[in-house]
């Protein structure tokens, strides 16, 4: 028997959710509705009538102060309505509220454990739409706002249909399947190249021909054939083996492009590359430009080297103080977020949380960062097929990260929204997490771990379903009405929180030897990686707890079902480990043993279903050989006439121009997003995303106090500049590194104690029919790597972790959109004493305003050029030596208490930075541009105001400390450009010529209006 | 002087236990224990050993079914290994003179359990609830608060103005009926209100009143004054650098003061 429990608000309670839906319909879809009422529906299976009545009587699913609950359809609160539509989950999609409802019902009714087999609760939401809405509009609202048909079902009735037959039939979202232990063998022997590739394509294996051949050759080795016969395995690979190989060798896990052998040439003609004498052979970008510079920097630091574990674990680890280590990881979740922005981003954030959780012996989670790269939310052109509107993507990812971060109790302290037309094709969703661990846990250094032969393989956390098998390579067309939606996953922060509470307790009690997370590739990846420590494993898939029947062994191995970790537990600790898990309401299951047999050995019960040589599994991937050809795009100056003539004044309305720039998407206030993220939980917030006299001014970087009883602080910042990519990815990357360092220094970070995380998001850089410009895109990647190496070395910032995502293209129906190549450079740094930290808002009238650094005519990719619809402009170049010296001097000034405010200059240049400081303090300033250090000496005023030259900062200093401050910058580019004033007007002149006079409140309005949703 | 032992309860999605325990330490507690709900169930930790119980903030059960709804049912229906419903142990702790502080999600739990505003009759019945903010959004922002000098609340005694962050999506107080709301006012059970920054008067204006709570109600006490539930986070203002204006030299009484008042009341007890 199925019951539908409807829960609606009592008449006197405001329907805030209904109101929000109503305003979203008008704001985001432009459809006018009179009102929306929301009703929650719980479909309950497996209870008898007496039990369901008890559920209502005991107020299990509703709050009697707020709600009314009924087994019949509730009447419409407004009496009349035009449409009623109900949104429910498709089978197999994570329904977090349904799970909590089931647990609560079971507890209140005292149901036996395990629960009766047919007992389950499913949730859905019924919306009543009132107003003049036709069917097209109703379906538009359903499909493009309230539901995502990939994961949800929509039922729809108009008011007369509803009157004739009220309600919707009760329906479950159960996955129906039979238990399966079936494996198949795939014969590779004697097949043609085309046939091998067909197997790869059809199986969504993403293996190249070279890789298929390597696999075929492995199975033809005589010693392998003999070994397989001895184990009762067929000569040909089983599906379990082929899938494990495909997963382990995937670009996602193996980073084959970053490890490829690359020949890099420079050519002036893009289409007929002529080998130039300067051709460069690169054996692995990763080893050459990331690993090696980090090793060099560490060597240079000598005894001061604070790196503890770089690139080998789930996250990089550095020393924070004598007793604590910090670890950091940043991931992307682009494809899933494109399909289902909410689920994709939520899974992204709770997924990256598991990286620090599974680093070393496991870290406590300190804070999250998020950077979203999106198309314009105001996009008003027709969308290419299958793409979601950027506003919807933004709302979905915002909410996903909100739920993932807030519900996990991890503050989201730093981030960015970056807008660019080409992110329409694929959003880039970066999620990062910083963790902390005691330097020693249970008597051992916390940053090392090792699974030993004999240790038990224990899976902890959620159960395994068909979620995320083959990751996001599945397309929506392959989903059917009753098949589980495998392409998209929805994270479950509470199941993860419970697991996390348990793991931290188990860690401190020394109950496990090693731990890692189950992310991409599921058990295949986590057990496979840990088995490298011991030298093999023996895994029994039949023991794995499943969400539902119907998974084949290879699916159990590959499933990317969330909220799971794998631990190596010593046999003598197994009982204690499992008992603690049971007590803390966390599922933990022993699945086998780590061994030293040299084999990745997989059983289903007693039957061997796969056995692979560990060395072949992890090191058998053939190295790719790729070509890169760089042809520098022509760069030219912006025509000076367009900027108001040679002096930059002409007939430019500078007041208006500044307001326009402040309102641009890449400049404007992101308060709408920031406030919906808990950025203060854990109690250590020092520099928040918004500060100043009205707490609405921007800051440059986050500072937290990880240890509440100490004053040492952790700085988190980032740099990201895809707008320079089309000009030269070398400078795009140089600017990203510089921006991250500059932001961190601006709040008080010590430039000698910083570590970086590099995340590359590229469009496919492998030359092929699909990608005729692959050689150029690969050259862009090479140049980007070169810049990363050069600037990390110059600034002495070691990279300690990173990730790449190389296929960020959209290609449907002949339309191809490739994202601008993007590097996110995230940074963690240390401040000795948080009480020295500085925010960007103007503090006191009469404080002197200094501009540090040199301004050049660098308007390429700038906000100004884009706002004025101009073309050209030179890309900003980064003077590492001068900047490095400046950052150290500024840090010394901050430590000496000489700096009242500091702010970095980035998008929108000097004028924007001045306006932001004025907004933060709601104070004005009098500024003179006449003596700004610039190259060439004389620049148009508009260029001075809006050039985005790197390495520059604005600093406020009390008048009586000017001498001491200036002395620290002797010989450096520094200019006193004016002072703060009480009157809230930003006044800018050039010698005697007035340029701009803007009331601060008007600037604030311009800056805040764009995303004031 | 009485010894004061504080118990901070966590588990099932609670997440502010660490800073709450730190605030209790700063407030002068002799001993602070952070325990998981499962330890209460197992009987490893007993409420009887403590004088001050804190339900910290978080997202119990992910706010599914409404904030703290599932947790309130867990308290009511879960039994310890010895077979006593946990809620009875809670009632006994309170009847024995214990102090209870519920912060944000902890406040939501106390009202959903019927511990607040409390009838004083010893029966637990839900009289008010906390529902979605009028903005229908979770928001993190600092708010100005004023304590009700007539309230019997031991935590707010002697305090006037406070400045603390709110971080919630469900903080709007909804009474069972108008008489219930009136009774809160008549009995001075409203301990804290959202006030306007300039006038210091209770406000219904967003964002000074972040959720649309009637009368600017931000915190409730019970007739004994020994229970306080509040939406703002006192533990999040545990250091001068937590204040959003600290780089401008701005300061206010630390949120820790609320906890210190509770501990002082326990110490002063004969």
């Amino acid at each position: 028997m199925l019951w539908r429990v409807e829960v609606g608000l009592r008449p006197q309670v405001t329907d805030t959710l209904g109101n929000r839906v109503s305003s979203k319909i008008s704001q985001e879809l432009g459809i006018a509705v009179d009102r929306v009422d929301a009703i929650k529906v719980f479909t309950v299976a497996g209870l008898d009538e007496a039990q369901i009545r008890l559920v209502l009587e005991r107020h299990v699913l509703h709050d009697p102060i707020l709600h009314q609950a009924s087994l019949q359809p509730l009447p419409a609160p407004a009496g009349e309505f035009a449409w009623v539509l109900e949104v429910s989950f498709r089978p197999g999609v994570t329904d977090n509220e349904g799970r909590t409802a089931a647990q609560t019902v079971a507890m209140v009714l005292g149901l036996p454990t395990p629960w009766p087999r047919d007992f389950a609760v499913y949730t859905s939401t019924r919306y009543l739409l009132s107003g003049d809405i036709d069917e097209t509009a109703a379906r538009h609202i359903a499909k493009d706002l309230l539901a995502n048909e990939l994961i949800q079902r929509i039922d729809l009735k108009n008011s007369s249909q509803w009157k004739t037959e009220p309600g919707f039939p009760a329906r479950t979202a159960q996955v129906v399947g039979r238990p399966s232990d079936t494996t198949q063998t795939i014969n590779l022997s004697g097949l043609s190249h085309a046939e091998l590739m067909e197997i790869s394509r059809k199986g969504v294996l993403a293996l190249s021909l070279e890789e298929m051949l390597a696999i075929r050759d492995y199975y033809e080795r005589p010693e392998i054939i003999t070994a397989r016969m001895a184990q009762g395995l067929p000569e040909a690979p089983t599906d379990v083996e082929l899938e494990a190989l495909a997963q382990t060798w995937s670009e996602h896990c193996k980073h084959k492009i970053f490890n490829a052998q690359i020949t890099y040439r420079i050519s002036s003609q893009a289409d007929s590359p002529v080998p130039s004498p300067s051709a460069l052979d690169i054996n692995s970008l990763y080893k050459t430009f990331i690993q090696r510079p980090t090793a060099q920097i560490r060597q240079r630091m000598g005894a001061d080297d604070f790196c503890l574990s770089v690139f080998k674990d789930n996250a990089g680890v550095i020393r924070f103080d004598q007793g604590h280590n910090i670890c950091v990881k940043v991931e992307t979740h682009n494809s899933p977020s494109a399909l289902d922005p909410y689920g994709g981003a939520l899974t992204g954030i709770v997924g990256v949380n598991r990286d620090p959780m599974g680093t070393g012996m496991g870290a406590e989670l300190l804070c999250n960062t998020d950077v979203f790269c999106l198309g314009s939310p105001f996009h008003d052109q027709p969308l290419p097929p299958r793409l979601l509107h950027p506003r919807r993507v933004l709302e979905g990812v915002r909410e996903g990260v909100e739920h993932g971060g807030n519900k996990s109790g991890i503050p989201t302290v730093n981030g960015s929204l970056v807008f660019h037309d080409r992110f329409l094709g694929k959003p880039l969703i970066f999620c990062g997490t910083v963790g902390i661990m005691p330097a020693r846990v249970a008597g051992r250094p916390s940053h090392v771990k090792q699974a030993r032969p004999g240790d038990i393989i224990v899976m902890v956390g959620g159960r395994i379903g068909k979620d995320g098998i083959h990751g996001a390579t599945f397309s929506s067309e392959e989903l059917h009405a009753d098949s589980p939606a495998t392409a998209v996953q929805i994270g479950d922060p509470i199941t993860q929180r419970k697991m996390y509470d348990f793991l931290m307790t188990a860690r401190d009690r020394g109950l496990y030897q090693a731990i890692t997370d189950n992310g991409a590739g599921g058990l295949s990846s986590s057990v496979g990686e840990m088995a490298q420590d011991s030298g093999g494993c023996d895994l029994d898939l039949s023991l794995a707890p499943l969400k539902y029947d119907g998974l084949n062994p290879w699916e159990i191995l590959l499933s990317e079902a969330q909220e799971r970790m794998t631990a190596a537990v010593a046999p003598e600790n197994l009982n204690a480990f499992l008992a603690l898990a049971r007590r803390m309401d966390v599922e933990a299951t022993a699945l086998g043993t780590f061994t030293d047999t040299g084999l990745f050995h997989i059983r289903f019960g007693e039957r061997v279903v796969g056995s692979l040589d560990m060395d072949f599994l992890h090191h058998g991937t053939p190295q790719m050989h790729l070509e890169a050809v760089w042809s520098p795009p022509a760069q030219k100056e912006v025509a000076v006439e367009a900027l108001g003539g040679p002096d930059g004044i002409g007939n430019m309305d500078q007041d208006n121009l500044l307001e326009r720039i402040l309102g641009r998407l890449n400049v404007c206030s992101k308060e709408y997003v920031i406030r919906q993220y808990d950025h203060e939980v854990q109690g250590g917030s020092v520099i928040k995303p918004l500060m100043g006299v009205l707490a609405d001014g921007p800051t440059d970087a986050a500072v937290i106090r990880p240890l509440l009883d100490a004053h040492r602080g952790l700085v988190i910042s980032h740099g990201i500049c895809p707008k320079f990519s089309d000009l030269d990815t070398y400078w795009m990357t140089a600017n990203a590194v510089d921006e991250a360092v500059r932001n961190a220094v601006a709040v008080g970070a010590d430039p000698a104690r910083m570590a970086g995380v590099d995340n590359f998001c590229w469009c496919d850089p492998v030359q092929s029919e699909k990608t005729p410009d692959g050689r150029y895109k690969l050259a862009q990647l090479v140049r980007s790597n070169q810049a990363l190496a050069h600037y990390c070395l110059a600034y002495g910032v070691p990279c300690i972790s990173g990730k790449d995502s190389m296929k960020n293209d959209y290609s449907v129906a002949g339309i191809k959109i490739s994202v601008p190549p993007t590097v996110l450079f995230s940074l963690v740094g240390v401040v000795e004493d948080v009480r020295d930290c500085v925010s960007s808002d103007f503090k006191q009238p009469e404080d002197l305003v200094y501009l540090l650094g040199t301004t050049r005519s660098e308007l390429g990719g700038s906000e100004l050029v884009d706002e004025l619809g101009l073309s050209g402009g030179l890309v900003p170049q980064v003077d590492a030596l001068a900047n490095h010296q400046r950052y150290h001097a500024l840090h010394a000034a901050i430590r000496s208490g000489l700096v009242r405010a500091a702010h970095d200059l980035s998008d929108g240049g000097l004028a924007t930075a001045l306006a932001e400081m004025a907004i933060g303090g709601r104070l004005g300033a009098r500024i003179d541009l006449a003596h700004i250090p610039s190259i060439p000496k004389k620049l148009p005023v508009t260029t001075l105001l809006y050039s985005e030259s790197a390495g520059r900062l604005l600093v406020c200093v009390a008048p009586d400390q000017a001498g001491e401050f200036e002395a620290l910058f002797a010989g450096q580019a520094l200019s006193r450009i004016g002072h703060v004033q009480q009157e809230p007007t930003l006044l800018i002149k050039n010698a005697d010529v007035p340029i701009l006079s803007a009331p601060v409140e008007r600037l604030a309005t311009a800056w805040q209006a764009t995303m004031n949703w | 002087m009485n010894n004061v032992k504080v118990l901070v309860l966590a588990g099932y999605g609670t997440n502010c236990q660490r800073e709450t325990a730190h605030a209790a330490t700063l407030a002068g507690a002799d001993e602070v224990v952070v325990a998981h709900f499962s330890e209460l169930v197992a009987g490893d930790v007993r409420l009887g050993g403590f004088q001050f119980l804190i339900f910290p903030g978080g997202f119990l059960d992910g706010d599914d079914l409404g904030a703290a709804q599932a947790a309130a049912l867990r308290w009511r229906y879960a039994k310890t290994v010895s077979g006593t419903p946990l809620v009875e142990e809670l009632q006994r702790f309170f009847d024995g003179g214990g102090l209870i502080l519920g912060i944000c999600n902890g406040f939501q739990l106390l009202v959903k359990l019927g511990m607040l505003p409390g009838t004083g009759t010893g029966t637990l019945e839900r009289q008010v609830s906390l529902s979605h903010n009028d903005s229908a959004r979770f928001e993190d922002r600092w708010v100005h608060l004023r304590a009700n000098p007539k309230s019997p609340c031991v935590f707010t005694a002697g305090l006037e103005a406070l400045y603390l962050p709110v971080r919630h999506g469900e903080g709007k107080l909804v009474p069972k009926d108008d008489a219930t709301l009136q009774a809160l006012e008549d009995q001075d059970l409203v301990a804290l209100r959202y006030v306007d920054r300039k006038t210091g008067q209770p406000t219904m204006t967003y964002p000074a009143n972040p959720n649309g709570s009637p009368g600017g109600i931000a915190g409730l006490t019970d007739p004994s004054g020994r229970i306080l539930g509040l939406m703002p986070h006192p533990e999040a203002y545990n250091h001068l650098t937590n204040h959003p204006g600290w780089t401008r030299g701005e300061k206010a009484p630390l949120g820790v003061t609320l906890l210190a008042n509770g501990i002082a009341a326990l110490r002063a007890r004969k």
Side-chain angles (χ1 to χ4, degrees), chain A residues 10 12-14 16-17 20 42 58-67 96-97 99-101 103-104 107-108 364 366 402 406-409 494 497-498 501 583-585 671-672 674-688 690-695 705-709 711 834-839 841-843 920-921 923 1013, chain B residues 10-20 22-23 26 36 38-39 42 44 58-67 69-71 73-75 77-78 112 126-142 163 165-167 170 172 174-177 197 233 235-250:
Chain A
R10 292 170 69 209
Q12 62 270 42
V13 181
T14 320
T16 54
L17 296 180
R20 177 160 79 161
F42 296 90
R58 290 183 169 174
H59 310 147
V60 180
L61 300 175
H62 72 291
D63 178 338
I65 306 293
L66 303 173
H67 302 127
N96 287 322
E97 188 159 31
R99 187 215 56 232
T100 302
Q103 287 169 345
T104 309
M107 177 187 59
V108 172
E364 287 145 65
L366 275 180
E402 175 197 329
N406 293 2
K407 292 188 180 186
S408 304
I494 293 307
R497 176 83 209 188
K498 283 159 71 177
D501 288 347
R583 211 170 85 166
M584 294 181 77
D585 209 1
E671 182 163 4
Y672 167 76
I674 292 166
R675 292 257 174 254
Q676 295 187 73
Y677 291 154
D678 190 331
H679 47 263
E680 303 189 65
V681 61
Q682 302 197 16
S685 161
V686 175
I687 297 293
K688 305 178 204 296
L690 295 168
M691 289 178 80
V693 68
L694 297 180
R705 226 166 8 107
L707 306 167
L708 295 177
D709 52 5
H711 282 116
V834 295
R835 291 167 297 188
D836 294 336
C837 286
V838 173
S839 61
D841 45 310
F842 283 152
K843 301 293 187 310
L923 291 168
W1013 292 333
Chain B
Y12 289 91
T14 293
N15 58 41
C16 297
Q17 60 267 34
R18 192 179 71 122
E19 63 268 36
T20 303
H22 175 68
L26 289 181
H36 191 275
S38 64
E39 295 178 85
D44 293 353
F59 273 86
L60 282 162
D61 303 282
D63 271 2
D64 298 337
L65 312 180
Q69 164 86 358
L73 289 161
R74 190 156 49 236
W75 273 89
Y77 290 95
K112 298 206 176 180
R126 197 176 296 181
Q127 300 163 65
V128 304
S129 192
L130 290 158
S131 185
H132 293 281
N133 299 349
D134 275 349
S135 65
R137 283 180 196 165
F138 175 101
E139 284 197 333
D140 177 340
R141 62 168 75 247
W142 284 60
Y163 185 50
V166 288
R167 311 191 310 248
E170 299 182 33
K172 179 189 180 180
V174 179
K176 186 169 69 181
D177 48 35
R197 179 171 72 107
H233 285 267
E235 81 289 356
Y237 189 13
N238 59 66
H239 189 269
L240 74 102
T241 60
N242 291 134
H243 191 298
W246 78 269
T247 54
R248 312 180 63 78
E250 294 175 21

Side-chain angles (χ1 to χ4, degrees), chain A residues 156-177:
Chain A
L156 187 76
K157 280 184 182 178
N158 63 27
S159 61
S160 62
Q161 289 167 322
W162 182 266
K163 269 176 203 139
T164 326
E165 198 186 344
F168 293 108
R171 189 169 56 175
T172 69
Q174 194 185 358
V175 178
V176 185

Side-chain angles (χ1 to χ4, degrees), chain A residues 186-204:
Chain A
I186 298 104
N187 178 45
L188 305 180
S189 176
L191 297 188
S192 70
H193 289 183
E195 286 165 327
L196 287 174
M197 283 316 288
E198 185 59 15
I199 288 172
S200 171
R201 240 192 315 273
K202 268 173 86 177
V204 201

Side-chain angles (χ1 to χ4, degrees), chain A residues 46 122 157 216 273 324 514 565 868 926:
Chain A
Y122 309 91
K157 280 184 182 178
R216 188 193 63 189
H324 299 85
M565 305 283 284
L868 297 181
R926 303 180 84 89

Side-chain angles (χ1 to χ4, degrees), chain A residues 197-264:
Chain A
M197 283 316 288
E198 185 59 15
I199 288 172
S200 171
R201 240 192 315 273
K202 268 173 86 177
V204 201
L205 299 176
L207 290 165
S208 70
L209 179 62
E210 291 72 24
E211 291 159 351
M212 288 300 286
L213 291 172
I215 293 171
R216 188 193 63 189
D217 294 350
Y218 167 82
Y219 281 92
E220 286 175 355
R221 287 193 221 159
E223 74 276 16
I224 297 296
I225 295 172
T226 316
R228 295 180 70 78
M229 277 174 66
Q231 293 182 73
L233 279 165
E235 261 186 48
T238 66
D239 52 5
V240 172
E241 292 168 334
L242 204 52
E243 292 284 352
L245 283 165
Q247 173 271 313
T248 310
W249 290 11
S250 66
E251 177 56 46
H252 187 95
C253 297
K254 212 76 215 171
H255 311 288
K256 291 179 286 201
I257 295 171
F258 260 78
N259 286 310
Q261 178 76 39
I262 295 175
T263 308
Y264 171 77

